């Protein structure tokens, strides 16, 4: 029996001011509606254009559950196409990335397509004469995703005509991407180091929420970060200079006060970031030669302003998060209500010292890998929640911390770093983009 | 100092896997040289642990942190604890260089890690770079190449 399909009011009712119903995490029908509506009406991160540097280069990914590919056309423009031959439905490319040459050729019947998706040729075409092929879906070629935006190398797409245009959708939140790109002396990033892929048996939203949850690190990560500091102190008594790995682990067990004071900024449409005033990335050692390069490129005042920004996690609704100070992004790809693929990508700052990339890779390995002890701490909590939510005694999840009824009137604000306003902000956006086309 | 025999090298690799399976992690850590590393590449045929990321690239400090964490009272991902099981092929000696004090073995293996009702099977090749320190063999580098190194993996909490 359908409980939510076509019923915007029922979906709305899942999100109260300070509580959300468990069905947003565990219900198959809600998940299917998310794929159909939420991931169609929002701008979803596809990839970075440095992954497709040359004409014909492609990279395959998903929007929600839809297989798509990002491809660089002969004119240099990046397109996003649905990864399906218009003829019989065969996936055009299966490998994650490669180069198509001047055109895509379907491996099944050799229909070929230009790298913008348009039909190039059909073998034995005379078999279609006088059949009305001109009126078919197939003649249109590989369908493009309708709305694509390349913002400073970051490629986003929106499948539906509903929703908002790109600038309106993201607004001021783009300042996080700006800051990450500006950290390169030449203003350019390149995907580097490889992608860590970690399978989670939990709902995709748990991962997004966790990145603005500042009341869990000192509890859930006592096991990893707490132990790291203890072991380091025992092995190197009296040492003040933390090794890079301990420098990365240690801030995870900072006291509540640290996180309260770091602050959170919320923006409309469910975007927001932790770490307004400082963050767990604030106290990393300087990389020799980097600041000098930044000063040469931007002047001292501007260079300082760029590097003083230490945003912790920026969440771009729905499923994309950015750590500007260490040039790492994470993408939480929904697979099922209780299954999510977490991808962690890293960037090289073009024309900056290699040590920056090296530190980023250490961070990603220690925190985001399937072999990461911090990752193990987190996943254990998500999976316990995914199981616990099946308890019928209480179907509601609480997101009440530092709630103020007046917050509904405010589109943007800077608030206490332990507020759950950003979680509420995400669910208000969830409700909006789920139901606008329902 | 006597150079290790072929049998010494094979016995060392077998013993190392046994220590992990039996959760004798203190003894296991002692097998590493002070500057020893455990490396699990992310890429097929990866050559660089520094500017390409890895699943693990850990010195003794980081390995010690893992071992201590596994024992921790608030390590919830180890309540209940994981268990593991190695099946090794006979290690092959790729290098026996007595003057350089470097010995390399190559060992195809299957590794099972289990917790609660889940059991995951991994296939991998372990490459041990060993050296004699004070009359004992020690690990300079243990490299574990997963057959599916670049797959979307579940948590791997113990050591392969």
């Amino acid at each position: 029996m359908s409980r939510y399909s076509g019923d915007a009011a029922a979906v709305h009712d899942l999100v109260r001011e300070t509580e959300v119903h468990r069905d947003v995490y565990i219900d198959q029908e809600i998940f299917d509606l998310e794929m159909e509506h939420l991931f169609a009406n929002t701008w979803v991160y596809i990839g970075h254009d440095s992954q497709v540097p040359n004409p014909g280069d492609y990279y395959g990914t998903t929007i929600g559950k839809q297989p798509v590919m990002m491809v660089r056309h002969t004119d240099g423009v990046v397109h996003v196409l649905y990864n399906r031959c218009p003829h019989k439905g065969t996936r055009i490319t299966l490998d994650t990335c490669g180069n198509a040459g001047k055109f895509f050729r379907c491996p099944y019947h050799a229909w070929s397509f230009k790298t913008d998706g348009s039909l190039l040729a059909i073998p034995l075409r005379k078999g279609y004469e006088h059949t009305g092929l001109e009126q078919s879906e197939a003649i249109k070629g590989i369908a493009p995703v309708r709305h694509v935006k390349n913002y400073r190398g970051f490629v986003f797409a929106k499948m539906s005509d509903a929703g908002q245009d790109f600038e309106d959708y993201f607004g001021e939140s783009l300042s996080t991407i700006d800051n990450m790109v500006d950290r390169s002396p030449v203003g350019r990033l390149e995907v580097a180091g490889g992608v860590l892929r970690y399978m989670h048996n939990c709902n995709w939203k748990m991962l997004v929420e966790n990145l603005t949850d500042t009341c869990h690190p000192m509890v859930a990560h006592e096991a990893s970060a707490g132990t790291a500091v203890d072991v380091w102190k025992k092995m190197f008594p009296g040492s003040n200079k933390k090794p890079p790995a301990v420098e990365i682990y240690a801030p995870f067990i900072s006291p509540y006060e640290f996180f309260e004071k770091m602050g959170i900024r919320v923006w409309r449409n469910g975007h927001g970031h932790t770490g307004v005033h400082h963050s767990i990335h604030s106290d990393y050692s300087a990389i020799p030669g980097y600041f000098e390069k930044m000063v040469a490129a931007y002047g001292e005042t501007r260079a300082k302003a760029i590097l003083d920004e230490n945003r912790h996690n920026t969440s771009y609704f729905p499923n994309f998060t950015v750590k500007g100070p260490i040039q790492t992004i994470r993408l939480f790809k929904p697979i099922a209500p209780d299954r999510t693929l977490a991808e962690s990508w890293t960037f090289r700052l073009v024309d900056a010292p290699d040590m920056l990339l090296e530190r980023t890779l250490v961070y990603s390995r220690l925190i985001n890998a399937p072999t990461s002890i911090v990752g193990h701490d987190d996943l254990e909590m998500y999976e316990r929640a995914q199981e616990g939510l099946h308890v019928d005694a209480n179907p509601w999840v609480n997101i009440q911390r530092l709630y103020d009824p007046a917050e509904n009137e405010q589109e943007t604000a800077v608030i206490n770093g332990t507020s759950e306003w950003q979680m509420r902000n995400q669910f208000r956006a969830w409700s909006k983009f789920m139901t606008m086309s329902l | 100092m006597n150079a290790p025999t072929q049998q010494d090298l094979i016995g060392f690799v077998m013993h190392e896997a046994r220590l992990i399976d039996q959760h004798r992690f203190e003894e296991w850590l002692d097998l590493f040289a002070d500057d020893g590393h455990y490396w699990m590449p992310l890429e097929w045929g990866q050559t660089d642990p520094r500017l390409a990321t890895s699943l693990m690239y850990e010195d003794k400090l980081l390995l010690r942190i893992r071992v201590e964490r596994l024992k921790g009272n608030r390590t919830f991902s180890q309540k209940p604890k994981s268990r593991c099981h190695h099946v090794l092929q006979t290690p092959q000696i790729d290098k026996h260089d007595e003057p350089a004090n470097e010995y390399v073995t190559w060992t195809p293996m299957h590794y099972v890690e289990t917790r609660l009702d889940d059991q995951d099977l991994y296939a991998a090749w372990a490459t041990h770079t060993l050296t004699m320190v004070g009359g004992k063999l020690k690990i300079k580098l243990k490299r574990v190449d997963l057959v599916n190194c670049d797959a979307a993996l579940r948590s791997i909490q113990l050591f392969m």
Side-chain angles (χ1 to χ4, degrees), chain A residues 193 195 197-199 201 222-223 227 231 341 354 358 361 365 370-371 373 376-377 379-380 383-384, chain B residues 42 50-51 53-55 57 64 66 68-69 74-77 79 115 150-156:
Chain A
V195 53
R197 304 171 70 228
Y198 189 1
M199 192 61 82
N201 286 352
E222 186 185 336
T227 304
V231 168
L341 174 59
D354 276 346
E358 187 178 356
L361 297 181
R365 195 167 74 223
T371 37
I373 56 179
H376 297 159
D377 293 342
L379 180 57
E380 180 69 13
E383 294 188 348
R384 286 187 189 209
Chain B
L42 179 66
R50 203 172 72 85
L51 294 180
T53 200
S54 303
L55 291 161
Y57 183 66
R64 163 69 63 188
R66 282 182 187 267
E68 292 300 321
R69 177 183 174 277
R74 288 183 174 165
T75 304
F76 299 105
S77 78
K79 285 172 181 278
R115 182 170 173 252
D150 48 4
L153 297 166
R154 297 269 299 147
S155 290
I156 300 168

Side-chain angles (χ1 to χ4, degrees), chain A residues 303-330:
Chain A
K304 273 189 175 155
I306 292 167
L307 298 177
D308 279 351
E309 198 68 67
N310 271 297
R311 297 180 183 190
H312 179 169
N313 292 311
T314 299
S315 299
Y316 287 104
F317 191 79
N319 66 331
F320 174 53
T321 69
V322 175
K323 275 185 179 296
I326 58 162
Q327 303 90 52
T328 301
I329 60 171
R330 302 185 78 201

Side-chain angles (χ1 to χ4, degrees), chain A residues 141-323:
Chain A
I142 306 173
V145 177
R146 293 177 59 88
H147 307 275
V148 176
K149 173 76 180 184
N150 182 344
Y151 184 80
R152 302 193 72 178
F154 290 79
V155 178
F156 294 81
K158 182 164 71 75
M159 296 192 290
S160 149
D161 289 340
Q164 296 166 252
D165 68 31
F166 181 84
E167 280 75 16
D168 196 26
Y169 178 77
F170 283 118
E172 290 171 28
S173 72
L174 293 170
S175 55
T176 289
I177 290 177
D178 288 337
N179 179 256
M180 181 156 70
V181 177
D182 289 345
R183 284 167 179 268
S184 152
V186 294
R188 217 166 68 240
L189 303 182
E190 282 172 4
V191 165
V195 53
L196 287 162
R197 304 171 70 228
Y198 189 1
M199 192 61 82
H200 285 51
N201 286 352
C202 68
N203 190 269
W204 63 275
K205 294 186 289 300
M206 289 184 184
L207 284 136
V208 181
E209 280 161 47
N210 184 255
L211 293 189
T212 69
D213 183 321
T214 52
C215 287
H216 86 282
M218 66 298 286
V219 182
H221 299 306
E222 186 185 336
S224 51
T227 304
V229 174
D230 289 348
V231 168
W232 167 64
K233 282 183 177 160
K234 247 183 239 162
M235 281 177 78
F236 303 92
S239 169
N240 286 323
K241 174 78 185 125
K242 294 188 183 97
V246 177
E247 210 172 60
I248 287 168
Y249 277 136
F252 279 82
I253 47 145
S254 301
Y256 286 109
E257 193 189 15
F258 174 90
F259 290 100
E260 283 191 304
K261 288 187 176 162
M262 81 153 55
I264 290 178
R265 180 179 281 119
V266 295
W267 291 296
R268 65 197 158 85
N269 289 337
H271 316 303
H273 78 91
T274 50
V276 178
H277 311 294
H278 60 263
S279 78
I280 64 167
H281 307 303
S282 300
D283 292 329
Y284 293 165
S285 304
I287 301 287
Y290 175 48
F291 183 64
E292 292 74 4
K293 281 212 151 191
M294 289 293 283
V295 170
Y298 293 102
E300 190 166 343
T301 311
R302 173 100 178 96
K304 273 189 175 155
I306 292 167
L307 298 177
D308 279 351
E309 198 68 67
N310 271 297
R311 297 180 183 190
H312 179 169
N313 292 311
T314 299
S315 299
Y316 287 104
F317 191 79
N319 66 331
F320 174 53
T321 69
V322 175
K323 275 185 179 296

